[in-house]
Amino acid sequence: MLAPTGDACTLPANLRERLEAAFERGAGHGLLELGIREVGTALPVEFAYWRDFAGRYVTALCTSLQPGATGAAAVSAIETPSLKALVELASAAPPMPGGEYLNADVLAGLWGTLKRLAAPNSPMRSKLCRNS
């Protein structure tokens, strides 16, 4: 998902290695790594774009969970952003390799990937929200 660019070299080695390892597992894993662990990190603009996208999902999930909520209903309550919002997000993307293919459908698919990774039976779930 994130193609190597000159900006990747500007990341500290430990961050670069962690992101590479996460994205090797899949786009959703890489996005969650950005959206969970790099919220306050100064990043090159294309990394910041994807961090903010994933952070939007993590925030929606963590703020919507009711204490003790379990099961698929807790995750399914997180709706995919509207088509209008996805179009706006896609049009706000910074220049990046492959950016010409970024559109609302791609973002909706990535949102669905995040949702699957947040499923209650997913090993990633424990990393998402402290109370989930």
Side-chain angles (χ1 to χ4, degrees):
M1 179 168 173
L2 288 180
T5 67
D7 284 341
C9 296
T10 64
L11 295 174
N14 64 339
L15 174 58
R16 186 180 67 246
E17 290 167 5
R18 196 168 62 244
L19 290 176
E20 286 174 354
F23 277 101
E24 284 174 5
R25 294 180 64 204
H29 291 277
L31 288 172
L32 286 176
E33 183 71 22
L34 285 167
I36 295 168
R37 292 189 63 184
E38 306 308 328
V39 173
T41 304
L43 295 169
V45 67
E46 65 269 20
F47 287 93
Y49 174 82
W50 291 114
R51 177 206 43 218
D52 294 347
F53 176 78
R56 182 178 178 144
Y57 178 82
V58 172
T59 299
L61 176 66
C62 295
T63 59
S64 69
L65 288 177
Q66 300 297 319
T70 60
V75 174
S76 64
I78 309 303
E79 294 185 23
T80 303
S82 69
L83 178 60
K84 179 182 178 191
L86 292 171
V87 168
E88 290 172 0
L89 284 169
S91 67
M96 66 180 90
E100 66 272 19
Y101 303 108
L102 184 59
N103 58 40
D105 289 336
V106 170
L107 293 176
L110 290 170
W111 192 271
T113 298
L114 295 173
K115 202 172 196 176
R116 284 187 295 281
L117 286 173
N121 60 344
S122 168
M124 287 296 293
R125 179 60 181 249
S126 64
K127 293 182 178 182
L128 291 171
C129 305
R130 272 184 230 202
N131 299 324
S132 64

